[in-house]
Amino acid sequence: MNYYAHSVGSSKADWQLLHDHLEAVAWLSARFASRFNGGSLGRAVGLLHDLGKYSAEFQRRLEGELIRVDHSTAGAQEALRLYGAAIGTLIGYVVAGHHTGLPDYGTAADDASLAARLRRSGLTDYGAYAQDEMHFPQKGELALPISFLPSQPHFSLQFFIRMLYSCLVDADFLDTEGALDPAKASLRGEYPAIGILRDRLDRYFAAKFSGVADTPVNRERAAVLQACHSRAAEPTGLFTLTVPTGGGKTLSSLAFALQHAVCNGLERVVYVVPFTSIIEQNAAVFREALGDEAVVEHHSNFQYPREGDENWDKGSASLGLATENWDAPLIVTTNVQFFESLFANRSSRCRKLHSLSRSVVILDEAQMIPTDLLKPSLAALWELVGNYGSTVVLCTATQPALQGLVPPDMPAKEIAPDPARLFEVLRRVAVSQLGAVEDGKLAEEISRQHQALCIVNTRSHARDLHDLLQGKEEVIHLSGRMCPRHRAKVLAEVRRRLRDGAPCLVVSTQLIEAGVDVDFPVVLRAATGLDSLAQAAGRCNREGRLECGRVFLFDPIGHPLRGWFERTATAANMTLRGGADPLSPKSMEQYFATLYDLEGGGLDKMGIMGRIAEGGSKVQFQFAELAQTFRMIEEDMMSVVVPWDEEAFQYVRHARSSQTPYGLLRKVQPYVVQIPPWEFLDLQKNHQMEVLEINGGTMAVLADLSCYSDEVGLQPSARDGHAGEVLIF
């Protein structure tokens, strides 16, 4: 009797034989796992994962009988029989969860837990696998190929399970795709090699900087680039690149990464950016330097065209497929996508993790890793360096103080030549403190300027200042109450005014600090942490056209600091006692050390490291629970789509019809505003919003456009004139 893995059409001649599927998945999984010396374990999970399909019941299911068959538990139980409790349990997580996600170990009373599944009786008889002469690796071949990092041994073990799981589920997806949709499978892997990208970037630099004026700033930028080239030959490890704003760190860090990958035989570069507001900017720069076909952009605001779309082609299809498993040589993604995937348990999010082994990971604006998740986030980075042959580069103008958080045998190596001197040479602003200022006086100070940027900590404060400045044509407001497409248009107008020397007074929330390329002669910043102050200063005299830009730090009266803002401002005040230079690397190091000391247990607010250690000695990890716990974006905010332009109106029209296009929820992201749940309910109760059912999900749409202003975005709810104190970047 033939046993099949998948049915294709009505003729069994076209069906995929189960033996062929298991061997193919085992080969692929072993190849992926061999990057970290886990090839034998990769082969074992590949052979075991669908063992339960060797049952008459599952074969009848393929033939169309409507029966439910648990085929993944069989392989998990067989792993225990073949390899014993320790390795068998490790494999059990991977095999049992290859469809439904890495499970919690749980208890025998919870039917979905691994504990229950390893003991489950009454499975369909899968003993027919013996007729296909499955050659499983021997027990002695399956030793763990990693070292337990001294500071986090249990974290190392659960991280390895995740990586092995990634190898299996990606191999399973790929082989199934090849069997069921060979046309789609043929589109994968059409990328230029990493060495070709390195050569393209070298040519780009040669063309871009030939004939550039010999200025002090350009000489320092050249020195940073040269340091990145020369340090790239060093072995893999942990690096820092500490370069002030305007020092060219974005492209220089990419130059280091590509050259380092070539020198060390690494397979890809993953460039991680904190916010979607700047990822498109960086991706556009990389495309200009390397070509459109070289850059895979993966984040919630970007959607590759689907087959049938007007601008679909095979090149864009290949890039879109690479977002599934990151098998391309250059990935540009966000902190949210990167870190949440490292703690996910679902196969769709985990399948790319194995691609992080033997890779260069650049954390742009590294100080933006959320403090309350800092310890588990860093622990994952240390694993990539310590056990998976990867290099991590912490790239920022405001390097966080990680003493005590980095494993002692993993010292960070600085790439930039003499960062302290570099900061002095590239210093383009002077910081003054205004003390306590009420809004009326602040508005007067802003009004006296020709071009100025004022950055405050909350949306309501930005709105109050804008109200005081209303009537002045040159005043512009920016905040998270405006949808991203609206903000992009406003920023384009800001840049035009700055370029033309026209009057331009901008009141903004912190979102403008996230790498937005603007250049003001004067910046005013509400009390904040030194890292945010440095980012604000990066929007002042950015191009060095003035002898010295002016940055003013003030304490806003009537807008008390709360929570995170209060703690960062306190750490900043403690650092600046005695007149310390707020922008020096020494001050920044002291600031972060003070902040982390103030945070204490808040560096792992959800207790993730403790949860992992709790069950680690018995290999009893709660993977599903951890995935729910590790969230970089709070889930208590609700999304509302604003039909702000004709494109958005068309999306909404399609959502109301049967013509809803695939991926619509992602396509409308540039029109989304995040609001608190109570405000969401108010809009719904007042019939100012409608909730549409699409593609098995829902989409909330602003129906009353009088609630949305071209000046400030979504107006606050009538219940509270100061709605939305939470800042959305």
Side-chain angles (χ1 to χ4, degrees):
M1 175 179 175
N2 286 328
Y3 288 85
Y4 299 95
H6 304 105
S7 56
V8 187
S10 57
S11 172
K12 286 189 176 181
D14 298 324
W15 291 14
Q16 185 184 30
L17 288 170
L18 180 52
H19 177 269
D20 292 350
H21 175 63
L22 294 180
E23 285 290 350
V25 171
W27 181 84
L28 267 177
S29 180
R31 182 163 70 85
F32 296 152
S34 66
R35 294 190 183 113
F36 45 89
N37 300 316
S40 293
L41 276 162
R43 176 167 174 79
V45 296
L47 291 175
L48 288 164
H49 81 287
D50 273 354
L51 218 59
K53 291 184 178 181
Y54 276 103
S55 70
E57 290 84 350
F58 188 86
Q59 296 304 306
R60 294 204 308 272
R61 183 175 181 273
L62 287 181
E63 292 168 351
E65 191 170 329
L66 297 178
I67 55 175
R68 188 169 179 266
V69 181
D70 173 8
H71 74 271
S72 53
T73 298
Q77 292 188 357
E78 196 68 12
L80 276 184
R81 188 185 68 78
L82 289 172
Y83 302 119
I87 293 295
T89 300
L90 182 154
I91 291 175
Y93 283 109
V94 174
V95 172
H98 76 272
H99 284 303
T100 56
L102 281 168
D104 290 340
Y105 185 82
T107 67
D110 178 5
D111 195 53
S113 71
L114 183 64
R117 295 180 68 177
L118 291 179
R119 295 166 176 79
R120 184 176 294 171
S121 60
L123 296 181
T124 56
D125 181 7
Y126 57 91
Y129 80 82
Q131 78 178 35
D132 275 345
E133 298 182 0
M134 310 293 290
H135 298 295
F136 296 101
Q138 296 299 304
K139 185 175 181 179
E141 299 176 52
L142 300 189
L144 280 177
I146 62 164
S147 300
F148 292 162
L149 298 189
S151 56
Q152 53 190 53
H154 300 124
F155 192 96
S156 295
L157 180 58
Q158 65 83 34
F159 196 85
F160 175 78
I161 294 172
R162 291 181 191 281
M163 293 295 273
L164 186 63
Y165 179 69
S166 172
C167 294
L168 171 63
V169 294
D170 192 31
D172 192 22
F173 272 112
L174 291 173
D175 185 65
T176 302
E177 178 183 88
L180 303 185
D181 193 351
K184 177 182 176 182
S186 69
L187 297 172
R188 291 188 182 273
E190 297 299 320
Y191 322 112
I194 204 157
I196 292 175
L197 298 187
R198 187 270 315 269
D199 295 342
R200 287 182 185 177
L201 186 60
D202 287 345
R203 290 194 295 270
Y204 176 80
F205 278 128
K208 187 176 179 67
F209 300 121
S210 63
V212 169
D214 184 19
T215 65
V217 170
N218 285 335
R219 284 197 294 273
E220 295 302 330
R221 287 172 175 167
V224 170
L225 178 60
Q226 180 56 43
C228 286
H229 276 298
S230 60
R231 299 295 298 275
E234 295 189 17
T236 60
L238 175 63
F239 291 82
T240 56
L241 179 60
T242 312
V243 177
T245 301
K249 68 181 184 327
T250 299
L251 280 174
S252 292
S253 62
L254 181 63
F256 169 85
L258 292 175
Q259 180 68 16
H260 184 71
V262 171
C263 290
N264 288 278
L266 307 184
E267 297 183 30
R268 68 189 43 80
V269 173
V270 181
Y271 205 100
V272 186
V273 181
F275 307 123
T276 55
S277 56
I278 57 173
I279 190 171
E280 292 172 356
Q281 177 179 293
N282 283 14
V285 171
F286 294 162
R287 288 192 186 96
E288 179 186 347
L290 304 175
D292 290 348
E293 78 284 6
V295 182
V296 173
E297 192 174 344
H298 189 193
H299 58 92
S300 61
N301 280 2
F302 189 82
Q303 174 76 48
Y304 283 98
R306 301 282 177 172
E307 189 169 3
D309 291 351
E310 182 179 347
N311 55 345
W312 182 90
D313 58 35
K314 289 185 176 181
S316 63
S318 181
L319 294 173
L321 291 174
T323 63
E324 297 175 354
N325 62 354
W326 288 4
D327 66 344
L330 177 58
I331 308 292
V332 185
T333 191
T334 58
N335 278 3
V336 172
Q337 181 64 238
F338 179 80
F339 284 108
E340 288 194 358
S341 294
L342 286 167
F343 290 86
N345 74 315
R346 293 291 181 180
S347 59
S348 57
R349 296 204 73 174
C350 289
R351 64 180 290 198
K352 57 182 170 286
L353 297 184
H354 70 88
S355 294
L356 295 175
S357 60
R358 304 292 299 163
S359 295
V360 184
V361 177
I362 300 177
L363 272 296
D364 191 25
E365 305 296 354
Q367 80 284 352
M368 295 307 301
I369 300 173
T371 305
D372 56 358
L373 293 171
L374 186 64
K375 283 188 175 179
S377 298
L378 293 178
L381 295 178
W382 308 158
E383 288 299 325
L384 292 175
V385 174
N387 279 315
Y388 298 91
S390 299
T391 281
V392 169
V393 183
L394 304 177
C395 180
T396 178
T398 55
Q399 200 65 243
L402 299 180
Q403 295 88 341
L405 297 175
V406 180
D409 58 346
M410 198 181 292
K413 295 168 278 188
E414 176 59 51
I415 298 171
D418 194 356
R421 186 195 65 80
L422 193 61
F423 272 74
E424 285 304 314
V425 172
L426 294 179
R427 181 184 294 272
R428 294 183 296 254
V429 303
V431 179
S432 303
Q433 298 201 46
L434 296 180
V437 181
E438 58 92 21
D439 283 356
K441 292 292 185 184
L442 184 59
E444 289 178 12
E445 179 63 34
I446 295 170
S447 296
R448 282 195 288 268
Q449 309 300 324
H450 178 64
Q451 294 180 335
L453 167 65
C454 181
I455 306 173
V456 293
N457 292 323
T458 64
R459 295 166 166 179
S460 65
H461 193 187
R463 198 165 48 249
D464 287 348
L465 275 178
H466 181 267
D467 289 345
L468 287 172
L469 292 163
Q470 269 189 340
K472 297 178 181 293
E473 189 176 318
E474 64 270 27
V475 175
I476 292 175
H477 168 278
L478 276 168
S479 86
R481 300 289 290 189
M482 306 161 78
C483 69
R485 188 62 56 85
H486 185 184
R487 292 202 306 264
K489 182 180 179 182
V490 171
L491 277 170
E493 172 62 13
V494 169
R495 293 187 180 105
R496 184 196 67 76
R497 292 189 187 187
L498 293 174
R499 184 177 61 249
D500 295 347
C504 186
L505 304 177
V506 176
V507 177
S508 176
T509 55
Q510 191 182 2
L511 63 85
I512 202 168
E513 293 174 351
V516 178
D517 188 3
V518 290
D519 185 2
F520 285 85
V522 175
V523 170
L524 301 98
R525 183 60 169 94
T528 188
L530 292 193
D531 53 338
S532 287
L533 177 62
Q535 292 297 326
R539 310 315 121 199
C540 182
N541 196 23
R542 186 178 180 87
E543 300 302 324
R545 297 188 179 97
L546 305 174
E547 184 174 334
C548 188
R550 294 179 294 157
V551 176
F552 299 97
L553 185 64
F554 64 92
D555 292 312
I557 295 176
H559 299 275
L561 296 169
R562 298 186 180 93
W564 171 250
F565 293 118
E566 182 180 18
R567 297 195 298 277
T568 56
T570 297
N573 289 334
M574 293 172 68
T575 303
L576 297 180
R577 289 173 185 167
D581 176 4
L583 300 182
S584 73
K586 183 177 180 181
S587 293
M588 207 62 63
E589 182 177 347
Q590 180 59 45
Y591 161 75
F592 277 110
T594 302
L595 177 63
Y596 294 163
D597 187 56
L598 288 173
E599 291 293 288
L603 300 181
D604 183 13
K605 186 177 180 180
M606 304 306 295
I608 289 172
M609 299 299 289
R611 295 183 195 209
I612 290 172
E614 186 177 345
S617 60
K618 296 181 179 179
V619 201
Q620 295 181 0
F621 299 112
Q622 313 304 327
F623 286 107
E625 179 185 304
L626 288 170
Q628 289 299 315
T629 303
F630 189 98
R631 284 286 183 267
M632 283 200 159
I633 295 179
E634 295 294 335
E635 294 188 310
D636 60 353
M637 298 295 282
M638 311 289 284
S639 297
V640 178
V641 176
V642 179
W644 183 75
D645 60 13
E646 181 59 29
E647 183 177 336
F649 271 111
Q650 290 301 321
Y651 287 149
V652 172
R653 183 177 66 81
H654 286 313
R656 290 194 182 103
S657 72
S658 59
Q659 306 171 41
T660 303
Y662 183 84
L664 180 64
L665 290 175
R666 291 189 65 183
K667 289 180 179 179
V668 298
Q669 286 302 309
Y671 301 99
V672 163
V673 175
Q674 300 280 347
I675 60 176
W678 62 262
E679 190 174 1
F680 186 94
L681 292 174
D682 278 356
L683 288 173
Q684 201 168 17
K685 183 179 68 176
N686 296 330
H687 307 291
Q688 295 167 315
M689 181 183 73
E690 61 178 323
V691 179
L692 305 176
E693 301 280 340
I694 63 166
N695 292 340
T698 61
M699 184 173 83
V701 178
L702 186 68
D704 183 358
L705 291 182
S706 68
C707 298
Y708 194 89
S709 158
D710 272 347
E711 284 73 41
V712 298
L714 189 62
Q715 303 279 19
S717 168
R719 188 200 302 193
D720 185 351
H722 285 166
E725 286 291 331
V726 177
L727 179 63
I728 301 298
F729 299 109

